[in-house]
């Protein structure tokens, strides 16, 4: 939630304009799973055919081509009383079926495969899906007037083309996306640049923080600002057939309980496999219980 995401997920802010979200987004052809509670899957897409405009040139976010979309940021959201549980999934999670599947790449095969793998391998029943591409995230942030984030240590990443000082600052859409996508970055420690010790977990955390910043900015925005954001972003959004814009309006503004799911890292890669902690974290967040 490309989203980088991402992320996406806080497209829930677009509940500010139900009409824009009903008529302008693409509708995904999906068969979803049954659950007694609503579980939304929000996906930030890495779609190289729909790159955002960038003063840094098109290679700032990767070369444009027609290889299709991958899930770059994946968030599960469910209601928890008056708040929302938001669970960040690692895109490099390896799931074992008759074939080996990398969770993020499964979207490239089909969104249906992603939904089915979440059910069969992680016991997660997805009842609704919303996806946004990189261009949509940039337009969303810019339409909201930028987002405020706090960077704990100076950060730089030559791959995602981001360089930020430590402290609280307002980011435009391109910079917010670059921060959320940073996975090969360095941080400044005692005057020396060192590889980000958080690695994949750091990327998940940053993507979630960008998401939270978008949600906060949206909750403080006027109706007119939300209308502008919805109109600018909706063409780069896709939704499952059952998803209603009124769902977004109902979710918008609730406090978020953010958590990150991890697995057992595979040596010398950014991949991981599910373990007992993975399943326990999903169950704790209330997003398990899938009927095949």
């Amino acid at each position: 939630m490309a989203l980088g995401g991402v992320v996406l997920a806080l497209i829930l802010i677009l509940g500010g304009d139900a009409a824009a979200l009903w008529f302008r987004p693409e509708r995904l052809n999906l068969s979803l799973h049954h659950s007694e509670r609503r579980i939304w899957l929000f996906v930030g897409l890495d779609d190289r055919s729909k790159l955002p405009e960038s003063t840094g040139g098109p290679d700032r976010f990767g070369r444009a081509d027609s290889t299709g979309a991958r899930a770059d940021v994946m968030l599960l959201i469910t209601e928890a009383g008056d708040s929302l549980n938001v669970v960040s999934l690692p895109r490099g999670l390896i799931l074992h079926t008759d074939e080996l599947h990398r969770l993020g790449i499964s979207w490239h095969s089909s969104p249906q495969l992603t939904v089915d793998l979440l059910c069969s391998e992680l016991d997660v029943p997805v009842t609704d899906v919303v996806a946004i591409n990189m261009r949509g995230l940039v337009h969303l942030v810019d339409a909201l007037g930028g987002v405020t984030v706090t960077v704990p240590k100076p950060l730089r990443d030559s791959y995602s083309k981001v360089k930020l000082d430590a402290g609280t600052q307002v980011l435009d859409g391109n910079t917010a996306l670059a921060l959320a996508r940073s996975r090969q970055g360095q941080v400044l420690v005692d005057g020396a640049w060192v590889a980000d010790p958080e690695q994949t977990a750091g990327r998940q955390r940053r993507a979630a923080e960008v998401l939270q910043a978008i949600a906060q900015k949206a909750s403080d925005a006027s109706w007119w600002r939300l209308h502008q954001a919805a109109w600018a972003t909706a063409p780069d959004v896709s939704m499952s057939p059952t998803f209603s814009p009124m769902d977004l309006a109902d979710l918008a503004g609730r406090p978020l309980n953010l958590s990150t799911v991890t697995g057992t890292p595979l040596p010398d890669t950014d991949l991981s496999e599910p373990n007992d902690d993975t399943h326990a974290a999903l169950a704790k967040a209330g997003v398990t219980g899938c009927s095949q």
Side-chain angles (χ1 to χ4, degrees), residues 53-99:
E53 303 82 1
S54 169
T55 56
D59 62 347
R60 177 171 181 175
F61 302 108
R63 188 181 71 255
D65 54 39
S66 57
T67 58
R70 297 170 292 175
D72 201 38
V73 172
M74 307 182 74
L75 300 168
L76 296 168
I77 299 181
T78 193
E79 294 179 276
D82 294 331
S83 62
L84 300 174
N85 287 341
V86 181
V87 183
S88 176
L89 297 172
R91 67 174 191 160
L93 199 64
I94 299 297
L95 302 177
H96 295 258
T97 61
D98 293 336
E99 304 177 44

Side-chain angles (χ1 to χ4, degrees), residues 147-169:
V147 294
T148 301
V149 302
T150 299
V151 180
K153 296 178 181 178
L155 171 73
R156 70 182 186 183
D157 188 331
S158 59
Y159 176 79
S160 70
K161 305 294 192 298
V162 65
K163 185 173 183 179
L164 294 171
D165 296 326
T168 300
Q169 49 210 290

